[in-house]
């Protein structure tokens, strides 16, 4: 599935489409260059899930947890990891198998730790505000 968004207000409907497409899958892998809009799209998805707190990039904390009516929502950013063992040290496998929503930025940095049944989301920049979101 592919979704093109041209402005921030279009992210809400795109987030809803993604969640409907995912059905019961709860682990999402976000791919894209720096500045492609991964965190911004995750914010829109979290809002769609009923998260009312501020959603921000967990670049330094590695993981942020948010409350939603569906239960905890986990947001990971593995950009700064030196190796996969750092991800193991924070218990990523437990989070990924928890049955809760997990949104993972920079999953390429932990390839051997990713669960099999994930939704892959690729964000590509098409212009200053336009993004192509490819979902598998």
């Amino acid at each position: 599935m592919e979704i093109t968004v041209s402005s921030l207000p279009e992210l809400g409907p795109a987030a809803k489409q993604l969640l409907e497409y995912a059905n019961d899958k709860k682990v999402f892998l976000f791919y894209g260059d720096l500045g492609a809009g991964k965190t911004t799209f995750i914010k829109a998805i979290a809002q769609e899930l009923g998260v009312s707190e501020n959603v921000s990039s967990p670049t330094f904390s590695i993981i942020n947890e948010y409350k939603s009516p569906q239960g905890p929502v986990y947001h990971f950013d593995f950009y700064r990891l030196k190796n996969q063992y750092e991800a193991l040290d924070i218990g990523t496998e437990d989070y990924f198998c928890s049955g809760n929503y997990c949104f993972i930025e920079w999953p390429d940095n932990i390839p051997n730790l990713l669960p099999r049944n994930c939704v892959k989301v690729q964000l590509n920049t098409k212009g200053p505000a336009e993004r192509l979101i490819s979902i598998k």
Side-chain angles (χ1 to χ4, degrees):
M1 176 169 79
E2 290 189 342
I3 305 168
T4 299
V5 295
S6 300
S7 65
L8 287 176
E10 293 178 17
L11 287 177
K16 185 174 183 173
Q17 280 184 273
L18 170 66
L19 291 169
E20 288 171 358
Y21 175 85
N23 199 8
D24 62 343
K25 294 183 179 111
K26 301 261 180 118
V27 179
F28 295 76
L29 311 177
F30 290 83
Y31 298 89
D33 294 333
L34 280 172
K38 295 179 294 294
T39 299
T40 303
F41 191 38
I42 290 170
K43 286 180 188 183
I45 299 165
Q47 286 179 335
E48 190 65 33
L49 291 171
V51 172
S52 59
E53 16 185 347
N54 182 41
V55 174
S56 61
S57 176
T59 301
F60 294 100
S61 61
I62 300 177
I63 180 172
N64 287 343
E65 179 179 342
Y66 309 108
K67 295 176 187 168
S68 82
Q70 292 85 8
V73 173
Y74 302 111
H75 180 190
F76 300 86
D77 185 331
F78 294 123
Y79 180 74
R80 297 183 40 196
L81 290 188
K82 293 178 180 75
N83 59 58
Q84 292 187 78
Y85 296 109
E86 291 181 77
L88 278 174
D89 288 345
I90 63 167
T92 51
E93 291 175 319
D94 293 333
Y95 288 108
F96 298 164
C97 295
S98 70
N100 295 304
Y101 282 99
C102 294
F103 302 119
I104 304 166
E105 295 186 50
W106 302 102
D108 288 338
N109 290 343
I110 60 160
N112 298 324
L113 302 179
L114 297 171
R116 293 182 186 270
N117 201 13
C118 300
V119 178
K120 295 179 181 178
V121 181
Q122 174 73 47
L123 285 93
N124 292 312
T125 305
K126 294 296 183 186
E130 188 174 1
R131 300 294 185 267
L132 175 64
I133 303 169
S134 302
I135 303 163
K136 297 179 185 175

